Amino acid sequence: MGLFLKIAIVSDLHLGYERFREDAFKQAEQALEMAASSADAIIIPGDIFDMRVPKPDVLAEAINLFRNLSKKEWRSRVETTEAVNRNYTSVPIIAIPGTHERRAQGVENPVTLLGLAGLLVDVSDGYAVLQKGDEKVMVYGIGGVSEERFLDTIRKLDPKPLQGHFSIFMFHQSTYELLPFSEDFVTFDDLPEGFDLYVDGHIHSRVEKKVHGKPFLIPGSTVLTQLKDSEQEEKGFYIYDTVANTYSFQKIKSRAFFVVKVDIGNKGAEALVKEIKESIEEALTRGSKSPIIRVQMSGKLKKDARSIDIDYQGIIKGYEGRAVVEIARPGVEDIEAITDVDALRKGSLDNMSVKDYGLGIFMERLKESKYNLDISPTELFELLSSETTKEKAVKKALEELFSN
Ligand SMILES: [Mn+2]
């Protein structure tokens, strides 16, 4: 009959990501176009955009991308929706906002805008039903919320599968099994029961697990963002066959990323520079076009050698056009490195985003100062980080804090 439904799961596109803006766009475009030509529908568990308030040119990029997809001859269509926002299309592209798009409550986010424009279906806090012939698929979505509110949100919404439908539960959060360092994270058991497939975003590397005996999939991001060891794997997306209950990972052409380790081990400045260059040259022989190479150093220089004598910027510049080089020095405050070290200290995997790390520090400090106010710390964090100028953010937060 050929009526099986193939669902592509594409996540964390991070359009507008400043550092690798073109990679973000090209790799998102490639993943979505491949998905559109090989699947009957696309679901996106969050972080289409890298920021809550994308600039008009980033919005234009996204609009063009999704408009092209919506013109395709789709073999399935969205028949019904029951979500917070109204639906304006039958094109089978279903999404939720993620943490990067998350804004203070009651403020529109950019994924909702794409939904309003009829370019995709925003299934926040509700569901959509896809149909192809007799085959029906239901997708229930909960957009990214602060971690400590997620369990309450599940309880309040009480998501249930639909009878006679292949039912998918889609969300964008951390889970305790994958990141065992915060009691705020839900466990697999907390997720609603009875769905045929669980799909999560947020984590930028690939995950395949089981929840309530059913597949749980995270495709990872389509663009490199955190430059961690775990991001050296190939990028791509999943295609899930809802009749055979099988899935496969489809790779995209993404910029290669290599982490090379250099032991400073009592070297002098000159010897260290030589070793850094050799390790970069070695990575360049692996045959990728303009890869990102992160040099991870450990150890100390020999006694009378000074780090200041090493022209790291000169080394980086020397590879321009051939590679994007990043040199992580020990002892230099590098947020990603701190995140890694901290996550390791807490015995977790290295999958935490910088934002979550920032939020973690914020919560800890508030706890130390015995914070006790009506507004939740994460709401406060959202308020403080939702404005582009510090003055406005502080003003807004103060208003919120002292309005009663
Ligand atoms: Mn993300």
Side-chain angles (χ1 to χ4, degrees):
M1 293 285 281
L3 287 179
F4 52 88
L5 240 152
K6 280 186 177 168
I7 311 269
I9 308 160
V10 187
S11 194
D12 293 76
L13 306 162
H14 288 269
L15 293 176
Y17 176 57
E18 290 272 347
R19 185 159 183 204
F20 301 116
R21 171 85 190 267
E22 213 186 311
D23 286 9
F25 178 71
K26 279 193 170 158
Q27 290 168 204
E29 183 181 45
Q30 192 198 147
L32 289 170
E33 280 182 355
M34 272 171 74
S37 61
S38 47
D40 300 307
I42 299 175
I43 62 175
I44 308 174
D47 284 2
I48 290 176
F49 294 97
D50 190 62
M51 63 289 267
R52 299 173 186 83
V53 189
K55 293 188 182 119
D57 53 338
V58 175
L59 275 171
E61 231 174 57
I63 289 170
N64 283 323
L65 196 55
F66 284 94
R67 193 189 332 92
N68 285 339
L69 291 175
S70 66
K71 283 189 201 147
K72 201 202 151 225
E73 294 268 330
W74 289 93
R75 284 156 300 190
S76 75
R77 41 186 288 127
V78 173
E79 292 294 344
T80 48
T81 48
E82 191 65 58
V84 167
N85 296 299
R86 272 187 66 189
N87 176 29
Y88 298 94
T89 183
S90 62
V91 171
I93 302 174
I94 298 176
I96 48 169
T99 30
H100 278 256
E101 293 127 342
R102 183 175 66 201
R103 307 192 63 195
Q105 258 171 345
V107 185
E108 299 292 358
N109 71 68
V111 174
T112 310
L113 289 187
L114 295 183
L116 286 173
L119 295 169
L120 52 74
V121 180
D122 173 6
V123 280
S124 291
D125 299 357
Y127 66 89
V129 172
L130 282 164
Q131 193 155 359
K132 181 189 177 194
D134 293 335
E135 182 73 8
K136 286 179 183 171
V137 169
M138 173 266 216
V139 184
Y140 195 105
I142 299 183
V145 295
S146 51
E147 301 290 357
E148 95 284 0
R149 278 185 12 220
F150 188 49
L151 191 55
D152 276 348
T153 307
I154 294 176
R155 285 180 181 149
K156 198 181 80 204
L157 295 169
D158 194 19
K160 289 204 166 53
L162 278 189
Q163 271 211 338
H165 296 61
F166 182 92
S167 300
I168 302 173
F169 181 68
M170 174 163 78
F171 64 114
H172 186 101
Q173 305 290 148
S174 301
T175 57
Y176 192 79
E177 282 81 354
L178 301 175
L179 297 162
F181 60 80
S182 170
E183 299 289 312
D184 285 334
F185 298 165
V186 297
T187 64
F188 286 173
D189 279 347
D190 292 327
L191 296 172
E193 286 180 62
F195 286 84
D196 300 293
L197 171 65
Y198 296 82
V199 169
D200 191 10
H202 195 48
I203 288 176
H204 283 190
S205 39
R206 217 194 307 168
V207 174
E208 297 176 9
K209 300 269 181 200
K210 284 267 161 93
V211 164
H212 302 306
K214 297 294 163 104
F216 168 88
L217 300 175
I218 301 178
S221 62
T222 52
V223 64
L224 202 60
T225 57
Q226 294 166 351
L227 304 197
K228 293 176 179 175
D229 282 16
S230 59
E231 281 199 293
Q232 292 179 89
E233 65 180 20
E234 281 166 289
K235 300 286 181 194
F237 61 94
Y238 282 109
I239 290 190
Y240 197 98
D241 182 323
T242 61
V243 170
N245 267 308
T246 53
Y247 56 86
S248 63
F249 188 77
Q250 309 291 313
K251 287 170 191 161
I252 58 168
K253 282 193 210 103
S254 56
R255 190 195 288 268
F257 169 53
F258 306 118
V259 176
V260 295
K261 314 243 166 172
V262 169
D263 178 17
I264 300 173
N266 281 316
K267 291 186 182 80
E270 220 171 292
L272 180 60
V273 169
K274 188 166 168 266
E275 178 148 352
I276 291 172
K277 284 183 174 171
E278 278 168 7
S279 62
I280 295 170
E281 292 296 338
E282 183 281 316
L284 280 170
T285 63
R286 300 182 205 176
S288 293
K289 201 179 148 234
S290 197
I292 300 162
I293 301 171
R294 178 178 167 95
V295 181
Q296 189 81 54
M297 300 200 289
S298 57
K300 276 187 176 151
L301 283 168
K302 78 176 182 196
K303 221 177 162 200
D304 47 359
R306 295 184 318 159
S307 181
I308 202 158
D309 294 331
I310 302 171
D311 181 15
Y312 292 109
Q313 281 312 315
I315 301 175
I316 292 167
K317 271 226 154 73
Y319 287 98
E320 257 171 31
R322 292 170 68 204
V324 179
V325 174
E326 180 176 287
I327 301 177
R329 284 173 281 163
V332 173
E333 298 279 290
D334 168 0
I335 184 73
E336 291 294 347
I338 299 169
T339 306
D340 278 346
V341 170
D342 200 62
L344 278 176
R345 198 184 300 138
K346 288 172 174 157
S348 76
L349 307 179
D350 65 345
N351 277 322
M352 200 177 13
S353 71
V354 176
K355 184 179 168 183
D356 288 340
Y357 180 70
L359 181 59
I361 296 174
F362 186 68
M363 304 274 275
E364 251 170 51
R365 294 285 148 84
L366 285 178
K367 243 184 232 165
E368 278 167 26
S369 58
K370 304 204 166 45
Y371 176 85
N372 181 23
L373 288 163
D374 284 344
I375 182 169
S376 89
T378 41
E379 276 289 292
L380 186 57
F381 184 83
E382 290 305 331
L383 274 173
L384 286 167
S385 56
S386 63
E387 290 294 342
T388 44
T389 70
K390 283 180 202 163
E391 289 77 14
K392 264 194 197 165
V394 171
K395 188 165 170 272
K396 236 184 169 176
L398 288 173
E399 275 170 15
E400 197 65 38
L401 282 167
F402 301 109
S403 59
N404 44 1

